[in-house]
Amino acid sequence: MKRFDYPQCFNAEEVALTEYNTGRQVTYGELATSISEIHEMLQERAVATGERILIMSNNPLNWASTLAGVVTYGATAVLVDSGFSAEQMNDIKTRSSIRLVLDGCHDLLGDEDVCETARQRDYLDLTDDNILVISYSCGKSGGISETKLSANDFTHMVEQAHQRYCKGSRSRNLSILMASSQCGGATDVLTSLALGGSTTILGHAYNSALLLRCLKKSRPHIINMDATTAESLIRTNILPRLNNAGRYGNINSSLTHRMLLKQIRKEMMYALGGCVQNVVVSGKRISPDIEQFLHKIRFPFTTTVQSSSVAIA
């Protein structure tokens, strides 16, 4: 895993994180300082490798920097989606053996002397079996679903992302848009930071129009969005086109049909910023008809519904 302390391989002036709604940005230099401060705070509390830290913050930039700080320290970041009752939250804290709660009240970003204050630290050794992130989301019938990300799995994800997105000529660094919940987007945020990319965080409350404006401005290579948002965009803006094929000729013609699907795929790629190489659909699995449609037009997408996700009674 790439370490984040300044200075390293990354340009300290490059943007690591952007909060779209406020326009606030965090450079890799500022992020390194924030991570160093988090490491120092965890050391002062004698947090050991593998101990679990619950991260709860409504500030996207503080959340992302805290996530990076906890993971690079060697502790396990515990993330919880909104919507759980107080009883369920207490149950999660008990089951997870939470060592410490970071509520995001600290603001470690924006220090004017970031280059001078960033500290070096000897990193704790991680094995492949170490758990980096545990995410809890609302499962079926109001239950709790737990997903774990191991160091080994994350290493493979970073290597695959590097092979897929970072080799060859590129006019700019890897760009990721996080338009999902914190649980759903954590892995992609960490992957982007590990590869020196730039992550734009849209936040929770947004509509389709705001999402499309954000896509046009950020022009991401990877988009992480929840299944509900993805389905809504397709059902509202794309599928109706298939029922109105007059401008393309006879829909019953197989050749015309293929041309129509190719055109729709092209227009979808353009609407998503024009540079997208993969859309990661997080959370629940998308509906079969939508999944079939995306496969039919050969649209680049993956889902994050993994075998490591288990329901908790």
Side-chain angles (χ1 to χ4, degrees):
M1 186 190 310
K2 175 64 77 174
R3 306 306 189 183
F4 298 96
D5 264 323
Y6 173 84
Q8 287 288 338
C9 300
F10 301 154
N11 184 341
E13 301 303 318
E14 290 182 352
V15 175
L17 302 165
T18 300
E19 183 181 1
Y20 180 77
N21 289 330
T22 64
R24 189 181 181 195
Q25 295 183 325
V26 176
T27 66
Y28 273 96
E30 293 169 325
L31 179 64
T33 299
S34 173
I35 289 174
S36 294
E37 296 286 352
I38 292 170
H39 288 177
E40 182 176 351
M41 177 170 51
L42 296 178
Q43 283 182 310
E44 290 175 350
R45 290 162 174 76
V47 174
T49 303
E51 288 196 297
R52 298 178 176 183
I53 311 298
L54 177 60
I55 303 175
M56 302 183 67
S57 175
N58 292 323
N59 183 314
L61 300 185
N62 278 351
W63 168 82
S65 64
T66 303
L67 172 66
V70 169
V71 169
T72 54
Y73 180 86
T76 298
V78 178
L79 308 176
V80 181
D81 268 343
S82 60
F84 287 119
S85 65
E87 182 180 354
Q88 287 175 315
M89 283 297 301
N90 289 332
D91 185 36
I92 289 173
K93 291 179 181 179
T94 301
R95 289 177 179 272
S96 300
S97 301
I98 298 298
R99 172 69 167 76
L100 186 67
V101 178
L102 298 181
D103 59 8
C105 291
H106 59 286
D107 189 353
L108 305 177
L109 301 171
D111 193 335
E112 294 179 357
D113 300 320
V114 291
C115 296
E116 288 73 17
T117 59
R119 301 175 179 84
Q120 294 293 329
R121 175 181 179 273
D122 294 330
Y123 289 94
L124 302 175
D125 292 330
L126 294 177
T127 66
D128 287 345
D129 294 330
N130 275 107
I131 302 300
L132 303 185
V133 180
I134 301 177
S135 300
Y136 292 98
S137 56
C138 294
K140 295 180 178 180
S141 303
I144 302 174
S145 179
E146 177 190 84
T147 304
K148 295 182 179 180
L149 175 67
S150 70
N152 183 58
D153 290 340
F154 180 68
T155 299
H156 286 306
M157 289 179 183
V158 172
E159 290 174 350
Q160 291 174 358
H162 180 265
Q163 291 290 332
R164 183 172 182 179
Y165 306 116
C166 299
K167 289 203 168 184
S169 60
R170 187 188 295 281
S171 60
R172 60 193 177 101
N173 290 341
L174 177 68
S175 174
I176 292 180
L177 172 64
M178 177 179 159
S180 63
S181 67
Q182 293 178 351
C183 288
T187 300
D188 285 325
V189 170
L190 291 174
T191 299
S192 175
L193 295 177
L195 295 174
S198 176
T199 300
T200 299
I201 304 176
L202 185 55
H204 298 294
Y206 63 87
N207 53 35
S208 296
L210 179 60
L211 173 60
L212 292 175
R213 287 198 300 271
C214 180
L215 288 165
K216 184 177 181 180
K217 182 176 181 179
S218 61
R219 299 173 58 241
H221 302 109
I222 303 174
I223 303 169
N224 187 303
M225 67 174 66
D226 61 82
T228 301
T229 300
E231 287 194 27
S232 176
L233 280 174
I234 294 172
R235 292 190 188 280
T236 302
N237 300 303
I238 304 301
L239 290 184
R241 297 281 304 280
L242 292 176
N243 298 321
N244 183 21
R247 55 182 279 203
Y248 298 96
N250 186 4
I251 192 64
N252 294 322
S253 166
S254 59
L255 176 61
T256 304
H257 196 189
R258 288 196 300 270
M259 292 175 60
L260 169 62
L261 295 179
K262 183 178 180 180
Q263 180 66 20
I264 288 178
R265 178 183 184 275
K266 181 179 179 180
E267 292 181 7
M268 282 183 63
M269 301 287 278
Y270 178 79
L272 295 176
C275 299
V276 62
Q277 297 184 35
N278 189 34
V279 175
V280 180
V281 182
S282 60
K284 68 178 184 178
R285 188 174 297 278
I286 57 178
S287 301
D289 62 322
I290 297 296
E291 185 170 0
Q292 182 181 15
F293 168 74
L294 293 175
H295 283 304
K296 192 172 185 179
I297 66 172
R298 298 181 180 180
F299 189 80
F301 79 101
T302 55
T303 61
T304 59
V305 180
Q306 304 169 358
S307 58
S308 57
S309 179
V310 297
I312 301 177

